[in-house]
Amino acid sequence: MIFSMTGYGSASGDVEGLPVVIEVRSVNNRFSDVSVRLPRTLLFAEDELKKKVQQHITRGKTDVFVTADSSQMENVNVVVNEPLLKAYVKAMGAIADIAGVSEEMSAMKLGELPDVLSVEKQELDQNTAVRGLCAILENALCDFDKMRGSEGRKLGADIAKKLELIESYVNAIDKKSPEIVENYSRRLREKMDEVIADSGYDEKRIIEEVAIYADHVATDEEVVRLKSHISQMRQMMDAGSPIGRKMDFLIQEFNREANTIGSKCQSSDIAHIVVEMKSEIEKIREQVQNIE
């Protein structure tokens, strides 16, 4: 399957009682660039998560966002600072005696006093947490692949159509090339006839001139290479990602052969075909920039 470099995926799960959501987003980039953003309590897992993404994605700028709702974490203990609470109660009693008022203390009011209550959260086992985060990330990457796979299929179908069009242009050039040489030979003979009239002419020299011209404008090699490139491109697409860099290199070879044919051609018909072919090659080049 061909994968686009653009995609989004997400997954959620539980890590040691901590609810976690992981999102994966990517955009086009020439190389692989992975960034992982984690809450401070989970920073210890950054390297493992980054490594897992790099093993899964070979090209593109990928951002991984990990969010955790610690307020929903299980095994949270609320601890009473007894020495401080007793000191508060004693101080409250002293205030009541000094002011001559009654003591009106309740558990709710005492609990609101500074530092009387503190929250202790369960420490995460790092190895277990990393395994849990990697499992959630795996699900997020699967969801991510669905989107970029769908986009990749569209890119592949579009490139396949353009390859068919390029192939038709190559076949047209291959068909017209012998006609160009034949037409040149005929025109050369007609001009020679006009110049020397009945005095005769050197048949061997005419043949040599035609051969030199044919060699100069022959596009056989370029046509053969273009057909080979088309075949290679199709094989790459059948093999599936990661193929973006290989396709990027191969499309440059398409351009090189098309430019060579354009510089050789002495026919307006072939020149027009070359222009159309280069237009389709450029469209494929743009699409390849989106493929992993």
Side-chain angles (χ1 to χ4, degrees):
M1 179 185 293
I2 295 176
F3 284 118
S4 166
M5 280 191 285
T6 303
Y8 172 83
S10 66
S12 59
D14 184 273
V15 177
E16 294 283 277
L18 181 66
V20 172
V21 176
I22 297 181
E23 297 174 280
V24 182
R25 303 174 186 175
S26 70
V27 293
N28 299 358
N29 197 49
R30 187 176 179 185
F31 303 104
S32 176
D33 180 10
V34 178
S35 174
V36 180
R37 295 175 173 82
L38 290 148
R40 292 186 63 182
T41 54
L42 298 175
L43 284 176
F44 57 82
E46 181 177 359
D47 288 344
E48 286 299 320
L49 294 181
K50 189 171 185 178
K51 187 186 302 182
K52 189 171 185 64
V53 174
Q54 289 172 331
Q55 291 171 348
H56 192 88
I57 303 170
T58 62
R59 195 174 182 221
K61 186 180 187 309
T62 307
D63 291 308
V64 179
F65 302 92
V66 180
T67 55
D69 186 0
S70 58
S71 66
Q72 301 298 318
M73 187 175 182
E74 298 175 0
N75 298 322
V76 176
N77 297 320
V78 178
V79 180
V80 178
N81 188 334
E82 290 187 21
L84 181 61
L85 176 59
K86 289 178 181 179
Y88 273 129
V89 171
K90 184 177 180 180
M92 294 295 180
I95 292 172
D97 290 341
I98 294 170
V101 295
S102 62
E103 296 181 19
E104 293 184 3
M105 291 182 286
S106 66
M108 182 66 71
K109 288 183 178 180
L110 289 173
E112 294 175 352
L113 294 172
D115 301 323
V116 169
L117 300 178
S118 62
V119 178
E120 292 184 354
K121 297 178 182 178
Q122 176 188 16
E123 289 294 328
L124 294 174
D125 179 81
Q126 292 191 2
N127 292 331
T128 304
V130 167
R131 288 195 294 271
L133 287 168
C134 285
I136 298 172
L137 176 60
E138 183 68 33
N139 292 333
L141 289 171
C142 288
D143 189 44
F144 171 72
D145 282 346
K146 290 178 183 178
M147 180 174 179
R148 67 192 191 117
S150 175
E151 181 68 20
R153 284 191 292 272
K154 294 176 183 177
L155 290 172
D158 185 62
I159 291 174
K161 289 180 181 179
K162 288 176 171 53
L163 281 176
E164 290 180 2
L165 195 53
I166 290 172
E167 188 172 41
S168 70
Y169 291 144
V170 172
N171 290 333
I173 291 171
D174 194 23
K175 183 178 179 180
K176 285 181 175 294
S177 292
E179 298 176 10
I180 295 172
V181 176
E182 178 62 31
N183 290 337
Y184 174 79
S185 175
R186 177 179 51 76
R187 290 197 303 272
L188 183 60
R189 290 175 183 274
E190 291 173 354
K191 290 181 180 179
M192 291 297 294
D193 284 342
E194 293 176 4
V195 172
I196 59 178
D198 296 331
S199 61
Y201 57 85
D202 187 351
E203 180 73 19
K204 183 179 178 181
R205 180 58 185 275
I206 296 295
I207 295 173
E208 289 176 351
E209 288 290 336
V210 172
I212 292 171
Y213 176 81
D215 184 64
H216 177 69
V217 300
T219 58
D220 295 359
E221 293 182 6
E222 290 76 20
V223 165
V224 168
R225 283 195 288 268
L226 276 171
K227 289 181 178 179
S228 174
H229 295 339
I230 292 170
S231 176
Q232 289 180 61
M233 184 76 78
R234 286 171 174 160
Q235 289 174 10
M236 286 181 187
M237 292 170 65
D238 289 339
S241 292
I243 54 173
R245 290 178 185 172
K246 292 180 180 179
M247 292 178 75
D248 194 22
F249 170 78
L250 189 58
I251 206 66
Q252 293 179 44
E253 298 303 307
F254 271 78
N255 251 323
R256 183 175 289 108
E257 303 304 338
N259 287 334
T260 302
I261 293 174
S263 65
K264 284 184 173 184
C265 73
Q266 302 295 320
S267 162
S268 60
D269 289 342
I270 289 184
H272 177 72
I273 293 173
V274 169
V275 169
E276 295 296 324
M277 181 167 63
K278 288 182 66 175
S279 174
E280 296 304 316
I281 291 173
E282 177 60 22
K283 291 175 184 177
I284 292 180
R285 190 193 68 78
E286 291 175 356
Q287 294 289 49
V288 166
Q289 305 310 308
N290 299 314
I291 293 175
E292 181 187 12

